[in-house]
């Protein structure tokens, strides 16, 4: 069974083959378990090991009972899909079963955001924010995704290219072009020395 | 240029904080998101998903997580008894009535055709051939046969790979 490709394994699991099911669990348990823990940790949930085990079990029950595995379009690229399913199931578990929402999952970006401690800085930053929004807010959707992955998630150009399945040169050009556009716009507004802000 | 980088970072973070991420009805399914990332989706649908992701940090979080899946190698997996409990699902949850019926659909067809061959004796041979076709289809479609075919395929591939990896025999002098 361990010689079977992922897509062959899924087809057998869809046929409810118990041997294939055991192999499927052996093959993907680790990545599913990691995805649950990783999502809960990142989103700031307080969780016990028992919660992770319950979510893990629920995922496999739903994969066995519902034809969820049949939804996958490219069965050879299974692990990415499983990571998403596991992560989203972890969030759903806490929302439905424990009735717990994370305090504010966007807290992870808080340290990066503008500091509003200084009133003078706030005054300056308002105009600056408008300028930034006029460039970044009007980007085509794909470009916006690239910029967000690069700046908010600190992804390298190579990583973004791999995630979005696009050439690395496209990623680099896109980021460079956005920065240039923003620089021009800031200069238009008379903001030449950004350190003054 | 470093300051430009900081500005972009801060602006995006500023917009993200407090945006109250939640999965909405508009969020594409995990299957669609995966297909979008692998480019196995229509251009129209891809554009729609692209537009959604650019506004939805919930989906972006899911996508970002998939890019870190190699980290799972370093993490401990589930305890053995948890894995065994998951394996037992196949025994405890059963296959479901609809699935069992669907599994034997060709066989049911073959039996009906066989019965009809006697009732409509004028078309006896036609129905008999139909019975044979449906019977073969059922036999080939059963899980056990498919398993055997796939295991055989995988075994052959494995053997071919082994043969290729073996160094070619030196000609004897």
């Amino acid at each position: 069974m361990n010689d079977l490709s992922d897509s062959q394994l899924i087809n057998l699991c869809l046929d409810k083959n118990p041997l294939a099911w055991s192999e499927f669990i052996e093959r993907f348990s680790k990545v599913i378990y990691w995805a649950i823990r990783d999502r809960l940790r990142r989103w700031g949930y307080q969780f016990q090991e028992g919660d992770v085990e319950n979510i893990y079990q629920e995922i496999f029950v739903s994969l066995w009972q519902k034809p969820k595995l049949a939804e996958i379009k490219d069965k050879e690229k299974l692990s990415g899909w499983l990571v998403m399913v596991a992560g989203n199931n972890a969030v759903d578990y806490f929302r439905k079963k424990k009735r717990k929402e994370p305090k504010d999952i966007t807290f992870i970006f808080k340290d990066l955001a503008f500091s509003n401690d200084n009133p003078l800085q706030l005054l300056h930053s308002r105009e600056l924010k408008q300028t930034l929004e006029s460039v970044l807010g009007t980007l085509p959707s794909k470009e916006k995704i690239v910029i967000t992955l690069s700046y908010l998630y600190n992804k390298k150009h190579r990583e973004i290219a791999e995630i979005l399945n696009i050439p690395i040169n496209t990623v680099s050009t896109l980021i460079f072009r956005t920065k240039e556009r923003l620089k021009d716009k800031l200069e238009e507004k008379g903001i030449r020395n950004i350190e003054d802000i | 240029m470093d300051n430009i980088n900081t500005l972009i970072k801060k602006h995006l973070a500023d917009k993200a904080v407090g945006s109250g991420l939640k999965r909405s009805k508009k969020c594409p399914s995990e299957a669609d998101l995966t297909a979008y990332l692998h480019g196995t989706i229509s251009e129209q649908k891809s554009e729609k998903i692209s537009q959604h992701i650019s506004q939805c940090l919930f989906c972006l979080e899911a996508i970002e997580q998939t890019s870190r899946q190699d980290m799972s190698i370093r993490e401990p997996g589930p305890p053995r008894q948890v894995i065994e409990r998951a394996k037992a699902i196949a025994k405890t949850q059963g296959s479901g009535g609809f699935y069992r019926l669907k599994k034997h659909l060709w066989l049911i067809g073959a039996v009906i055709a066989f019965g009809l061959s006697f009732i409509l004796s004028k078309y006896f041979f036609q129905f008999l051939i139909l019975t044979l076709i449906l019977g073969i289809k059922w036999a080939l479609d059963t899980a056990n046969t498919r398993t055997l075919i796939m295991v055989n395929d995988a075994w052959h591939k494995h053997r071919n790979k082994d043969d290729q990896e073996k160094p070619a025999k030196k000609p004897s002098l």
Side-chain angles (χ1 to χ4, degrees), chain A residues 39-97:
Chain A
R39 181 70 74 91
L40 294 178
R41 259 192 316 240
R42 182 170 163 82
W43 285 28
Y45 282 103
Q46 299 283 321
F47 64 94
Q48 310 284 320
E49 209 52 35
D51 293 320
V52 183
E53 289 174 11
N54 287 342
I55 297 163
Y56 168 90
Q57 190 73 4
E58 276 184 11
I59 291 167
F60 280 112
V61 169
S62 76
L63 288 177
W64 177 262
Q65 283 182 335
K66 298 169 193 166
K68 216 169 162 61
L69 281 171
E71 288 174 16
I72 316 164
K73 289 172 179 85
D74 190 349
K75 293 188 174 78
E76 282 303 330
K77 286 159 183 166
L78 182 64
S79 55
W81 176 79
L82 282 172
V83 167
M84 281 188 203
V85 169
N88 291 348
N89 266 277
V91 177
D92 286 346
Y93 172 87
F94 270 85
R95 279 195 182 137
K96 286 177 191 164
K97 295 263 169 77

Side-chain angles (χ1 to χ4, degrees), chain A residues 169-197:
Chain A
N169 290 344
T170 310
V171 176
S172 305
T173 312
L174 230 146
I175 293 171
F176 178 77
R177 214 169 53 198
T178 307
K179 281 201 292 195
E180 284 297 307
R181 210 182 300 159
L182 188 62
K183 207 176 156 192
D184 290 347
K185 200 90 176 174
L186 287 169
E187 277 179 4
E188 261 177 43
K189 297 264 176 184
I191 309 169
R192 284 177 196 278
N193 192 356
I194 300 162
E195 276 176 72
D196 291 347
I197 298 159

Side-chain angles (χ1 to χ4, degrees), chain A residues 19-36:
Chain A
L19 284 175
W21 178 248
S22 289
E23 172 60 22
F24 174 74
I25 288 167
E26 289 289 350
R27 208 177 278 187
F28 296 105
S29 270
K30 211 170 175 184
V31 78
I32 290 180
Y33 211 69
W34 166 81
I36 300 166

Side-chain angles (χ1 to χ4, degrees), chain A residues 129-143:
Chain A
K129 278 178 190 175
Q130 280 171 356
T131 314
L132 283 161
E133 186 57 28
S134 70
V135 176
L136 301 176
T138 53
L139 285 174
S141 53
K142 197 101 181 185
E143 294 185 19

Side-chain angles (χ1 to χ4, degrees), chain A residues 92-140:
Chain A
D92 286 346
Y93 172 87
F94 270 85
R95 279 195 182 137
K96 286 177 191 164
K97 295 263 169 77
K98 303 247 168 175
R99 295 183 186 281
K100 270 187 195 166
E101 296 278 346
K103 280 174 196 161
D104 179 6
I105 45 178
T106 53
F107 73 92
I108 34 185
F109 306 116
K110 206 164 189 172
D111 293 342
L112 297 172
F114 281 109
S115 157
N116 290 336
D117 298 342
N118 183 346
L120 193 68
Q121 198 176 24
L122 183 70
L123 189 74
H124 281 298
S125 67
R126 199 169 290 163
E127 194 188 356
L128 188 65
K129 278 178 190 175
Q130 280 171 356
T131 314
L132 283 161
E133 186 57 28
S134 70
V135 176
L136 301 176
T138 53
L139 285 174

Side-chain angles (χ1 to χ4, degrees), chain B residues 76-101:
Chain B
R80 202 66 225 168
Q81 72 266 23
V82 176
I83 294 179
E84 293 307 323
R85 213 167 58 205
K87 284 184 181 177
I89 293 168
K91 289 174 197 155
T92 55
Q93 304 283 329
S95 304
F98 176 71
Y99 171 74
R100 272 199 297 275
L101 187 74

Side-chain angles (χ1 to χ4, degrees), chain B residues 69-139:
Chain B
Q69 58 180 292
D70 286 348
M71 287 166 78
S72 65
I73 301 162
R74 290 196 292 271
E75 291 252 334
R80 202 66 225 168
Q81 72 266 23
V82 176
I83 294 179
E84 293 307 323
R85 213 167 58 205
K87 284 184 181 177
I89 293 168
K91 289 174 197 155
T92 55
Q93 304 283 329
S95 304
F98 176 71
Y99 171 74
R100 272 199 297 275
L101 187 74
K102 203 177 148 197
K103 205 163 89 174
H104 297 298
L105 211 62
W106 297 113
L107 180 68
I108 295 165
V111 171
I112 293 170
F114 190 65
L116 284 173
S117 69
F118 289 103
I119 297 165
L120 307 165
S121 50
K122 198 176 158 189
Y123 302 105
F124 179 75
F125 285 107
Q126 283 90 330
F127 274 114
L128 215 57
I129 290 165
L130 185 65
T131 307
L132 201 66
I133 292 168
L134 292 173
I136 291 168
K137 181 82 187 134
W138 171 74

